[in-house]
Amino acid sequence: TMVAIRIRTDTTGATLMLGKLGAAVRNWNVPLRAFGRILVRSITENFEAEGRPKAWRPLAEATLFSRLGVGRLVGKKGKELKRAQKRLANVKILQDSGVLKNSQRAEVSNNTLRVGPTGPAALYGRIHQFGGKAGRGKKTTIPARPFLVVQDEDLIELKDLMTDHIEKQIKG
């Protein structure tokens, strides 16, 4: 005499869960929008810290003096000199007008996140991000001062966003 064992499996639940998982991984726009907001905030913090995790190179002396106007320190004494020195001490790197810092945007389309400066600041930002020659005749060397830097803590937040997104899709 033989014993027959029949195994039946009900894969309905697994199939439903895999279908939800498939939908979750096809559409990343929602978590990417949230991550875009995180990155724009992080880029703003990069400007405020004047470089993270590595500080940007200081401004050249010529740049500092041009912000005050040529020759404004010559012949100054006492209060006038102290006032000029105070203005120089408050000069922020890459933030003369605030245009570059304030032009950071995040755009999401077709599961793609693009983050960075928009408008005229995009061209201006490129030379500061990567460094290079600029000015009349490309005689001025501008050092790289990378502001579009994803920090380690940003990546942790991205992982958490993606995990939450997948879990919500599976749970319904």
Side-chain angles (χ1 to χ4, degrees):
T1 302
M2 297 182 80
V3 177
I5 299 175
R6 177 186 258 171
I7 299 174
R8 287 182 131 184
T9 58
D10 181 2
T11 60
T12 307
T15 303
L16 182 62
M17 188 168 62
L18 288 173
K20 288 180 179 181
L21 180 59
V25 296
R26 279 193 298 272
N27 185 358
W28 293 101
N29 289 341
V30 171
L32 285 176
R33 278 189 201 96
F35 190 51
R37 288 188 295 274
I38 289 166
L39 285 180
V40 168
R41 181 192 71 219
S42 183
I43 292 166
T44 300
E45 290 172 14
N46 294 345
F47 277 96
E48 290 167 1
E50 295 183 315
R52 295 184 310 152
K54 184 180 175 190
W56 296 329
R57 282 187 51 195
L59 294 172
E61 190 174 276
T63 303
L64 290 170
F65 287 130
S66 73
R67 294 232 184 133
L68 286 178
V70 179
R72 289 216 178 143
L73 289 180
V74 175
K76 291 200 176 201
K77 295 179 184 173
K79 288 182 181 179
E80 285 184 334
L81 180 59
K82 286 186 184 210
R83 200 171 21 248
Q85 288 170 331
K86 187 177 181 181
R87 282 189 59 209
L88 279 177
N90 291 325
V91 170
K92 294 283 206 173
I93 301 170
L94 297 187
Q95 298 177 64
D96 187 28
S97 67
V99 170
L100 183 59
K101 176 183 174 183
N102 296 323
S103 71
Q104 305 304 312
R105 300 288 180 271
E107 299 171 354
V108 175
S109 175
N110 299 322
N111 291 330
T112 302
L113 170 63
R114 288 183 180 83
V115 179
T118 57
L123 291 174
Y124 173 75
R126 182 178 176 80
I127 191 73
H128 291 293
Q129 177 72 18
F130 301 108
K133 298 284 187 181
R136 289 191 189 124
K138 306 261 184 204
K139 294 178 183 176
T140 303
T141 300
I142 296 182
R145 293 186 176 105
F147 56 91
L148 297 173
V149 178
V150 178
Q151 307 296 324
D152 289 341
E153 62 264 23
D154 302 333
L155 294 175
I156 292 167
E157 287 190 69
L158 173 62
K159 179 184 163 259
D160 292 345
L161 281 169
M162 297 305 171
T163 301
D164 289 349
H165 176 68
I166 291 170
E167 286 175 355
K168 284 179 186 173
Q169 295 301 314
I170 291 172
K171 290 177 183 173

